[in-house]
């Protein structure tokens, strides 16, 4: 693994991101500058604007944290270990393993990990299951998510998750991605607070009127792929409900820079 090359390309990408943010600043006017000079007044003003737009956000935290740029090689480790799997049929789709259990597994939707714990920890049923933890925050009524972690934060990207597919109370199979040989590319950096990330989201016009922020989580997301390695960064992930239609959308904010990431 050529870390010198990774660091150099990563440095160039970081500079390009800074140029993009500066360009966005001049296009959108001095909103962010005002935030920097008068953070308390600006925060109060923005929160009032949210209320005027009928946006419900609930309690938000001003607490900041730390995070890292981390990378993992794109290799065939998962595929090479999948030969040990039993009681299921499986296939590879890129770096993701898709599996269907021979017999569906009955679980309690409110407490699925009670049954799935033994499945995840069984090397004959899940590859490297010990590397994952159940995530109630990322799970839905149709998908039970187990995720790898770095710096005690989960991976939002499916490259570091097991996603069990749930139907009528039964797990039919799963999709798994596995990140190994995780490396930190730079030292720890300060991350934005939940409240600050939400304000940036609103100022970028990514928080629609008459909506409710159902949940928010700090998690690692894919940033870019460099020289056969994928780089991940901490991001704030917001689940937003349109109050009129009931539609759920997700928005992500780079927890280092405040830049809006692609909408998935």
């Amino acid at each position: 693994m050529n870390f010198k090359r990774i660091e150099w390309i990563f440095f160039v990408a970081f500079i390009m991101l800074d140029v993009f943010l500066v360009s966005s600043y001049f296009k959108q006017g001095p909103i962010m500058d005002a935030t920097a000079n008068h953070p308390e007044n600006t925060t109060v003003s923005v929160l009032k604007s949210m209320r005027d737009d009928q946006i419900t956000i609930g309690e938000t935290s001003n607490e900041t944290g730390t995070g890292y740029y981390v990378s993992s090689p794109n290799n065939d480790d998962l595929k090479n270990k999948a030969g040990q799997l039993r009681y299921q049929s499986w296939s590879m789709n890129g770096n993701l393993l898709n599996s269907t259990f021979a017999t569906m597994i009955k679980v309690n939707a409110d407490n699925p990990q009670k049954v799935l714990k033994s499945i995840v920890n069984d090397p004959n049923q899940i590859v490297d299951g010990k590397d994952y933890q159940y995530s109630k925050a990322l799970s839905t009524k149709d998908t039970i998510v187990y995720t790898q972690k770095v710096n005690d934060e989960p991976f939002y990207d499916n490259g570091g998750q097991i996603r069990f597919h749930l139907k009528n109370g039964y797990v039919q199979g799963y999709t798994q991605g596995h990140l190994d040989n995780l490396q930190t590319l730079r030292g720890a950096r300060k991350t934005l607070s939940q409240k600050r990330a939400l304000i940036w989201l609103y100022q970028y016009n990514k928080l629609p009127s008459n909506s409710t922020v159902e949940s928010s989580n700090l998690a690692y997301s894919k940033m870019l792929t460099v020289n056969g390695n994928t780089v991940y960064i901490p991001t704030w992930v917001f689940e937003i409900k349109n109050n009129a239609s009931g539609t759920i959308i997700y928005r992500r904010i780079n927890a280092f820079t405040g830049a809006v990431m692609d909408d998935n």
Side-chain angles (χ1 to χ4, degrees):
M1 187 182 300
N2 191 339
F3 282 104
K4 289 294 184 181
R5 179 174 173 81
I6 295 174
E7 290 178 354
W8 171 248
I9 298 176
F10 184 70
F11 174 74
V12 173
F14 187 75
I15 294 298
M16 291 175 65
L17 179 60
D18 285 343
V19 170
F20 167 77
L21 291 175
V22 171
S23 175
S24 299
Y25 168 84
F26 284 109
K27 287 180 180 179
Q28 297 181 19
I31 292 179
M32 300 306 172
D33 184 63
T35 303
N37 292 332
H38 307 285
E40 293 184 4
N41 292 338
T42 302
T43 297
V44 172
S45 175
V46 172
L47 294 178
K48 181 180 183 303
S49 295
M50 289 185 189
R51 290 193 295 270
D52 292 342
D53 286 339
Q54 296 180 300
I55 298 171
T56 303
I57 63 173
E59 293 293 326
T60 55
S61 172
N62 282 313
E63 184 177 351
T64 61
T66 57
Y68 300 86
Y69 291 95
V70 297
S71 74
S72 176
N74 301 323
N75 56 37
D76 294 327
D77 184 66
L78 186 58
K79 179 180 179 180
N80 293 337
K81 293 180 178 179
Q84 70 194 37
L85 296 175
R86 301 290 182 269
Y87 321 118
Q88 60 194 276
S89 58
W90 61 270
S91 63
M92 297 298 299
N93 181 12
N95 290 325
L96 297 180
L97 185 151
N98 295 314
S99 177
T100 301
F101 288 120
T103 302
M104 293 188 295
I105 302 169
K106 176 68 173 177
V107 297
N108 183 327
D110 296 326
N111 191 25
Q113 71 276 22
K114 185 174 182 179
V115 171
L116 290 178
K117 180 179 180 180
S118 61
I119 303 296
V120 172
N121 290 333
D122 183 352
N124 290 322
Q125 299 197 65
I126 299 291
V127 174
D128 290 329
K130 64 183 183 305
D131 294 342
Y132 303 82
Q133 296 180 35
Y134 170 65
S135 174
K136 182 177 181 179
L138 296 180
S139 298
T140 69
K141 65 178 181 179
D142 301 316
T143 307
I144 301 167
V145 179
Y146 277 70
T147 176
Q148 292 180 256
K149 288 191 173 185
V150 62
N151 194 33
D152 205 34
E153 301 295 347
F155 279 94
Y156 185 69
D157 184 88
N158 60 9
Q161 296 180 348
I162 303 171
R163 303 177 66 85
F164 290 99
H165 313 306
L166 186 65
K167 185 175 182 179
N168 298 326
Y170 287 86
V171 171
Q172 300 177 314
Y174 64 90
T175 299
Q176 179 183 8
H178 185 261
L179 305 176
D180 61 349
N181 296 321
L182 288 169
Q183 302 285 339
T184 57
L185 300 180
R186 309 182 75 173
R189 290 191 59 185
K190 185 177 180 180
T191 57
L192 297 172
S193 69
Q194 177 193 34
K195 180 175 289 185
R196 179 57 54 194
L198 196 59
I199 287 174
W200 279 70
L201 192 69
Y202 178 76
Q203 292 178 318
Y204 275 115
N205 296 318
K206 292 293 185 177
L207 198 53
S209 300
N210 190 26
S211 63
T212 299
V213 177
E214 295 285 319
S215 67
S216 60
N217 296 284
L218 189 63
Y220 277 77
S221 297
K222 178 180 177 180
M223 181 180 183
L224 53 91
T225 299
V226 180
N227 196 31
N229 293 267
T230 301
V231 178
Y232 297 87
I233 58 171
T235 57
W236 278 104
V237 182
F238 294 96
E239 178 187 5
I240 304 164
K241 178 181 178 182
N242 183 306
N243 293 333
S245 66
T247 303
I248 298 293
I249 60 175
Y250 292 87
R251 295 285 186 261
R252 291 187 297 164
I253 288 285
N254 184 318
F256 287 148
T257 66
V260 176
M261 301 180 69
D262 59 287
D263 302 330
N264 292 324

